[in-house]
Amino acid sequence: MADIVTMPKLGFDMAEGVLVRWVVLEGEAIAKGAVLAEIETDKATVEVESMYEGIVARHLVPEGEVIPVNDPIAVISAPGEKVDFDQIFMGLPAGEKASKVPAADEYEPSQTAETQPAEISVPAEGEQYPGGVKATPVARRMADERGINMRQVKGTGTGGRITKSDIEAYVPIAAPPREAVIPSALPVIARGETQILPLNRLRAAIGRRMKEAKQQVPHFYVTNEYDMAALLDLRKQVNLLLPEDEKTSVNDYIVKAAALSLREFPNLNASLDGDQVIRHGQVNIGVAVAVEGGLLTVVCRDADLKPVRLITAEVRAMVARARDGKVKSEDIEGSTFSVSNLGMFDVEHFIAIINPPEAAILAVGSAREVPVVENGQVVPGLRMKATISVDHRVSDGAEAAQFMQALAKYLQEPLRLMV
């Protein structure tokens, strides 16, 4: 019996997604757990794995289409099975767009890699492609940001569609050399052009969620300053023993310290559900990452149970996937507390907006060399400011202050992080 693949729900607030690319073409075999397609959500482009094994009998939606969650997108059958599509779709709920699934005689199969046209395909009369060029949403956004004329790009995707990799590989045609211009006595400075740019899906989602969080969640803030000399010295010693691609970052130690502190204050490792507070058994730290077009949070699961070196490896791998647009759903879902670190940008202090449904988030600045008073003498010291934002419906100032004191115990006596 053939199986129907539906648009997955890749987040508690996801309502729809864009099918960016079919990884496995019609007629090709697919193993359970193999990547079937790439889906663009409000947060990122995610590789969707198949829950079934067999042959991809039919793609039900074209690349670039916006699909509601749980709508059918593909059919996977057993090898050699003759699929009765009418029978398959007869029992689908109305909410899954059963009436819109194409009949066999109406469906135009996807082209295989061998039959894809070499040139960019221009839509036939009646088809609608922005600018008359077939391209994925990610490729269009990248082309707009880089000022690339998409008509000059050769598409290698299905049916000649331009993909992200095509934009990355594009080399602009060199313009003919201009005649030398003798500069005038006064330099001419050209005015910048006014640009009107639509919000991309990620930036729009961030704006929507942060607006709701700031308006609906009663935030309060507690700031502490930490002596980072011992931690920075420990990190230096640890990194001397590690190869270049495994060296730890300051943020890895902060993630570990926050996770251990949350063990002592489980009320901050929580979320609000109606009139109930859910204290999570796992400590899953969300790490804010700057990506193209916005901000993404990757999730280090069970951070309180993992050594710093493992946290380093996992976070580095997830950040790389996020910046390449290849995140997995488990990379970005399930955080119970978040850390946002702007220290690498030489930011002294800031406050962060809580990421719903979490109850708190920690904002971290840079470790700076500043004058401090010790035993009545002014001496140089290394200090870092951090601020916790807390949902006042879940906790209060005294508990937040005690959490920040517990954090000091781990940051200022960093050997606690290693045992």
Side-chain angles (χ1 to χ4, degrees), residues 5-86:
V5 181
T6 60
M7 172 64 76
K9 186 176 178 66
L10 304 173
F12 78 97
D13 61 343
M14 177 179 169
E16 62 184 20
V18 178
L19 199 151
V20 176
R21 182 172 74 95
W22 286 111
V23 176
V24 181
L25 302 179
E26 288 182 350
E28 293 184 343
I30 187 168
K32 186 175 181 180
V35 177
L36 172 64
E38 292 179 359
I39 304 294
E40 184 182 33
T41 71
D42 287 342
K43 296 182 178 180
T45 299
V46 181
E47 293 181 335
V48 176
E49 298 176 353
S50 174
M51 298 175 61
Y52 311 107
E53 182 174 355
I55 303 297
V56 178
R58 184 184 294 182
H59 296 157
L60 302 179
V61 295
E63 293 177 344
E65 184 167 326
V66 178
I67 313 297
V69 167
N70 294 328
D71 268 20
I73 61 173
V75 176
I76 296 178
S77 64
E81 177 184 0
K82 184 176 181 180
V83 181
D84 185 344
F85 291 103
D86 291 337

Side-chain angles (χ1 to χ4, degrees), residues 197-360:
L197 304 174
L199 287 176
N200 61 42
R201 292 175 63 87
L202 176 57
R203 183 64 69 189
I206 292 171
R208 182 178 66 252
R209 285 170 56 82
M210 294 300 98
K211 176 183 176 183
E212 292 172 356
K214 196 65 175 174
Q215 290 179 339
Q216 299 174 15
V217 177
H219 288 59
F220 73 88
Y221 314 98
V222 176
T223 300
N224 270 30
E225 187 174 70
Y226 301 99
D227 184 347
M228 296 294 286
L231 191 148
L232 293 178
D233 183 62
L234 174 65
R235 172 180 174 253
K236 181 179 180 180
Q237 295 180 55
V238 169
N239 283 349
L240 286 174
L241 304 175
L242 298 175
E244 189 65 33
D245 59 349
E246 295 181 21
K247 293 188 185 299
T248 59
S249 71
V250 173
N251 197 60
D252 300 327
Y253 295 89
I254 294 171
V255 167
K256 176 71 173 183
L260 291 175
S261 301
L262 288 169
R263 276 189 190 174
E264 301 179 38
F265 296 93
N267 203 42
L268 296 176
N269 188 52
S271 56
L272 191 67
D273 183 15
D275 58 357
Q276 296 179 322
V277 174
I278 301 173
R279 290 183 177 177
H280 301 287
Q282 285 184 291
V283 180
N284 299 336
I285 304 295
V287 179
V289 180
V291 296
E292 184 179 355
L295 192 70
L296 199 61
T297 299
V298 298
V299 183
C300 181
R301 301 177 187 278
D302 295 311
D304 57 323
L305 305 178
K306 294 174 178 175
V308 173
R309 190 176 179 183
L310 182 55
I311 290 173
T312 299
E314 290 188 353
V315 171
R316 179 174 288 149
M318 288 188 290
V319 169
R321 288 196 292 269
R323 289 176 174 160
D324 288 342
K326 301 291 184 182
V327 294
K328 302 176 181 179
S329 58
E330 58 265 29
D331 289 349
I332 57 176
E333 295 298 332
S335 58
T336 59
F337 182 93
S338 291
V339 172
S340 181
N341 190 341
L342 291 178
M344 65 289 295
F345 299 109
D346 199 28
V347 171
E348 179 181 6
H349 168 251
F350 74 106
I351 58 175
I353 300 174
I354 295 170
N355 183 28
E358 296 166 21

